[in-house]
């Protein structure tokens, strides 16, 4: 299938060398509740993995939990609970929300704190290769030694710096040679959890966590590396710099796949703006099928403006699909619409950069035809609805 690669900025054919698609998707930092922005990203990659399996691939899917991070430590201090307890609790809540949305668990669901040795191994190799430097117990990646740095960002230096600063970079760190150099290992701070290291006690930087977990489970090259669009820079840029310099293998991922942001009333849904729509609240009002269909009703790269009306409309659509599977009217084999053709059209849409809105439109045509008694083969129509519905991760009644 073809996917849009944010690095090359074009559609690329995803070619699993041995029939195995190695897919890594950046996971949550567990310090707060799951909102529709999370839901969209994980529903998209869940549906993508289901579709790849439908196409005969094996999907080895790794998703991480960033269970040590500034945000967790800050929130734990505010709440007066141990940081690891907060992480465990919020991870459980996230998984309950994902289960309720019919999002399958990844093949490997892994925590950053279980992979410190692999992170240290990568950091040491980067130091040995002259790409990282040690200052007062901190280790930084030296971007001046990597001419490729910035290749995913597609931005000039000033824009990279501004964007990085908005997303967690500290440009004023006096130990850095360049304000864009990023932390691989940070020296122990009073009251923070620390791990032993060759550079002194401390904890890993955020970016190195994902490089380590991706490579530990999937090797030097992935077919798909995914995440929200706000991770493209600096997080995924830094992952490329660390991973490709560590292994010497390029590209680290055949396709960098980024899911558009979720908006509410024209503003990006974000914790800082306080305009979050929580998954658990939406699930009180609508079915998981409707929420998934609403999210997948927009192409994954487009921004998604959340509205209850969209989900309500999706609920009606799912009802019609279910009716078509159950209703006698759709069992009349005398129609002129070729069900198999529409099935192929829907599959072709999904193969073309996972165009779920187009696949849904095609299925709606098939459902309308089936309910009007206008398809040539009700059996094939039912099979197609179940198949495409299955790739989108809808729970539909099983066939006979
Ligand atoms: Zn990541």
């Amino acid at each position: 299938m073809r996917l849009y690669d944010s690095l090359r900025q074009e559609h690329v054919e995803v070619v699993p060398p041995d029939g195995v698609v190695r897919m890594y998707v950046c996971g949550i930092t567990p310090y707060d509740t799951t909102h529709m922005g999370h839901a969209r990203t994980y529903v998209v990659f869940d549906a993508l993995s289901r579709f790849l399996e439908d196409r005969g691939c094996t999907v080895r899917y790794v998703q991480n939990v960033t269970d040590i991070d500034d945000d967790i430590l800050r929130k734990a201090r505010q709440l007066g609970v141990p940081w690891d307890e907060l992480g465990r609790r919020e991870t459980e809540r996230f998984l309950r929300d994902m289960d309720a949305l019919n999002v399958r668990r990844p093949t490997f669901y892994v925590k950053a704190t279980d992979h410190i040795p692999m992170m240290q191994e990568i950091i040491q190799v980067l130091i040995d290769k002259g790409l990282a430097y040690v200052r007062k117990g901190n280790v930084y990646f030296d971007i001046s030694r990597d001419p490729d740095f910035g290749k995913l960002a597609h931005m000039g230096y000033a824009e990279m710096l501004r964007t990085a600063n908005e997303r967690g970079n500290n440009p004023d760190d006096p130990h850095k040679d360049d304000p864009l150099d990023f932390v691989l290992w940070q020296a122990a701070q009073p009251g923070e959890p620390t791990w032993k290291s060759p550079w002194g006690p401390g904890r890993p930087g955020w970016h190195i966590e994902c490089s380590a977990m991706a490579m530990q489970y999937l090797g030097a090259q992935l077919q798909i590396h995914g995440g929200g669009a706000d991770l493209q820079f600096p997080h995924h840029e830094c992952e490329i710099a660390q991973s490709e310099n560590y292994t010497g293998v390029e590209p680290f991922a055949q396709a960098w796949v980024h899911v558009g942001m979720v908006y509410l009333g024209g503003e990006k849904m974000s914790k800082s703006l306080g305009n979050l729509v929580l998954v658990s609240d939406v699930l009180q009002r609508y079915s998981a099928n409707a929420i998934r269909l609403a999210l997948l009703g927009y192409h994954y790269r487009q921004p998604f403006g959340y509205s209850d009306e969209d989900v309500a409309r999706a609920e009606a659509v799912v009802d019609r699909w279910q009716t078509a599977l159950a209703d006698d009217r759709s069992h009349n084999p005398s129609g002129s619409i070729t069900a198999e053709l529409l099935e192929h059209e829907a599959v072709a849409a999904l193969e073309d950069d996972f165009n779920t809105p187009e696949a849904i439109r095609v299925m709606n045509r098939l459902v309308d035809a089936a309910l009007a008694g206008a398809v040539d083969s009700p059996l094939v129509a039912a099979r197609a609805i179940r198949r495409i519905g299955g790739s989108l991760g809808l729970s539909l009644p099983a066939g006979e």
Side-chain angles (χ1 to χ4, degrees), residues 24-27 64 66 206-207 210 225 231 235-236 239:
Y24 185 91
V25 177
C26 292
N64 70 295
T66 304
W206 171 35
H207 313 304
C210 282
H225 193 312
L231 297 183
H235 185 52
H236 290 164
E239 275 195 57

Side-chain angles (χ1 to χ4, degrees), residues 66-231:
T66 304
D67 64 338
I68 180 73
D69 174 270
D70 292 340
D71 289 326
I72 295 187
L73 295 173
R74 183 180 37 78
K75 185 73 182 277
R77 270 195 299 271
Q78 276 171 14
L79 295 174
V81 295
W83 65 275
D84 47 351
E85 188 188 314
L86 175 68
R88 270 196 301 276
R89 193 171 77 197
E90 292 302 328
T91 304
E92 278 310 309
R93 286 173 67 178
F94 169 74
L95 288 173
R96 273 203 303 276
D97 284 342
M98 290 301 111
D99 289 348
L101 281 177
N102 203 23
V103 170
R104 296 184 307 180
R105 302 276 170 102
T107 324
F108 300 97
Y109 191 60
V110 293
K111 294 193 301 187
T113 52
D114 289 337
H115 300 80
I116 306 278
M118 180 68 178
M119 298 170 202
Q120 295 189 346
E121 135 107 27
I122 300 168
I123 294 169
Q124 188 59 56
V125 169
L126 294 174
I127 294 171
D128 294 343
K129 288 185 172 178
L131 286 149
Y133 54 91
V134 186
R135 296 278 157 79
K136 298 237 154 106
N138 303 284
V139 186
Y140 300 93
F141 188 92
D142 183 350
I143 63 159
S144 74
R145 298 295 311 277
D146 180 7
D148 275 351
F149 189 82
K151 67 181 175 183
L152 178 64
H154 306 290
M155 298 172 182
Y157 182 90
E159 195 184 354
M160 282 201 285
L161 183 58
R162 186 173 50 74
T163 308
N165 293 347
E166 285 166 11
R167 296 174 179 169
N169 179 52
N170 175 10
D172 303 322
D173 182 339
H175 303 308
K176 285 193 202 178
D177 288 341
D178 184 303
L180 257 187
D181 287 350
F182 57 90
V183 178
L184 297 169
W185 186 262
Q186 42 198 333
Q189 300 291 318
E192 286 190 357
T194 56
W195 285 263
K196 278 191 272 184
S197 88
W199 322 289
R203 60 185 172 95
W206 171 35
H207 313 304
I208 194 70
E209 297 181 353
C210 282
S211 282
M213 287 179 275
M215 290 193 284
Q216 182 152 338
Y217 293 90
L218 301 174
Q221 193 166 53
L222 328 177
Q223 275 62 56
I224 297 169
H225 193 312
D230 54 349
L231 297 183

